[in-house]
Amino acid sequence: MAFDFKKEFKEYYMPKNKPVIVDVPEMNYIAVRGQGDPNEENGAYQQAIGILYLVAYTLKMSYKTDYKIEGFFEYVVPPLEGFWWMEGIDEVDYSDKSKFSWISVIRLPDFVTEEDFKWAVETATKKKKIDCSGAEFLTINEGLCVQIMHNGPFDDEPATVALMDSFLEENGYENDFSAERLHHEIYMSDARKTAPEKLKTVIRHPIKKKA
């Protein structure tokens, strides 16, 4: 049976609908950076997702090719994730999504090296005739965070974030956003196939103990 990150690491992918503190270890990702409205048809965000999945599935299916990855085992491709911010402001203005900056990512198994990643980018580009050079091998160590499962439309996230902020205030923590520590979402539902009210999204914020 294929290894499923969502099931094996439930503490990172399946939080309850109330805030919880987690210490997130270092992980490697396929990443594509960009700017703009994620809902724009054939826009930069949707193109980035296409590249992410091309590279992710090239790695997943590598065992059927002549290229062998040391330590490889069969696995389910982890869910799509995203780091989001707007330049110059701490909050997010959902009324103007064109101002979003983002890093879209898919987690990599630990056995995938940077050399394996480069092979996958080159292979996907040649096979699908799509330029995947915008993908990068990115290592992120999130550390101490608060997270929650948000149920419903993305535009309703502010109410869930308010719950997180209240939880931090009550427990002696505060948000710790920076250029390296960002608003993080993990998409447990496929937004293309799921009604907005049924979407499940992990929201994760970097935190620190209050001084």
Side-chain angles (χ1 to χ4, degrees):
M1 195 170 178
F3 185 93
D4 190 336
F5 289 87
K6 300 186 299 297
K7 294 178 180 176
E8 299 297 332
F9 299 106
K10 288 182 180 179
E11 65 269 37
Y12 305 128
Y13 296 101
M14 299 298 292
K16 306 294 184 186
N17 58 354
K18 59 182 181 180
V20 63
I21 292 172
V22 289
D23 196 353
V24 185
E26 183 175 278
M27 300 179 192
N28 296 326
Y29 298 89
I30 310 164
V32 179
R33 300 171 188 265
Q35 293 178 305
D37 187 340
N39 299 319
E40 181 186 350
E41 193 167 348
N42 297 317
Y45 181 74
Q46 294 187 9
Q47 291 178 34
I49 291 174
I51 291 170
L52 286 176
Y53 278 110
L54 270 180
V55 177
Y57 276 93
T58 300
L59 286 163
K60 171 183 166 64
M61 304 307 293
S62 63
Y63 71 98
K64 293 190 174 182
T65 73
D66 292 335
Y67 186 88
K68 302 304 177 187
I69 297 176
E70 186 176 351
F72 181 93
F73 53 78
E74 290 191 54
Y75 62 97
V76 177
V77 170
L80 178 70
E81 308 182 37
F83 295 88
W84 298 85
W85 72 99
M86 288 182 169
E87 297 292 349
I89 61 173
D90 291 331
E91 301 298 324
V92 172
D93 179 5
Y94 285 86
S95 68
D96 188 1
K97 296 185 174 77
S98 66
K99 293 180 179 177
F100 272 125
S101 294
W102 38 263
I103 308 172
S104 288
V105 303
I106 293 177
R107 183 178 178 178
L108 289 168
D110 290 343
F111 58 70
V112 174
T113 66
E114 196 156 0
E115 183 179 335
D116 299 326
F117 169 81
K118 289 176 181 176
W119 167 83
V121 169
E122 292 170 4
T123 300
T125 298
K126 289 176 185 175
K127 189 173 182 181
K128 298 296 184 180
K129 304 293 190 289
I130 294 174
D131 182 10
C132 296
S133 62
E136 63 180 283
F137 184 95
L138 184 64
T139 300
I140 298 174
N141 189 349
E142 286 189 271
L144 197 63
C145 295
V146 61
Q147 67 180 20
I148 192 173
M149 184 68 80
H150 170 73
N151 297 294
F154 299 126
D155 286 352
D156 289 351
E157 286 185 10
T160 301
V161 168
L163 287 176
M164 298 165 73
D165 290 345
S166 295
F167 173 83
L168 295 181
E169 181 68 30
E170 291 165 7
N171 289 276
Y173 291 89
E174 60 186 353
N175 288 305
D176 188 28
F177 293 110
S178 69
E180 290 76 34
R181 306 194 78 203
L182 301 164
H183 173 93
H184 184 182
E185 299 181 358
I186 305 175
Y187 307 107
M188 305 306 294
S189 313
D190 186 339
R192 299 167 301 176
K193 303 174 183 176
T194 309
E197 65 272 13
K198 293 184 177 179
L199 290 171
K200 290 184 178 295
T201 307
V202 179
I203 301 177
R204 184 182 294 162
H205 283 174
I207 62 172
K208 62 182 178 181
K209 269 284 190 183
K210 278 189 175 180

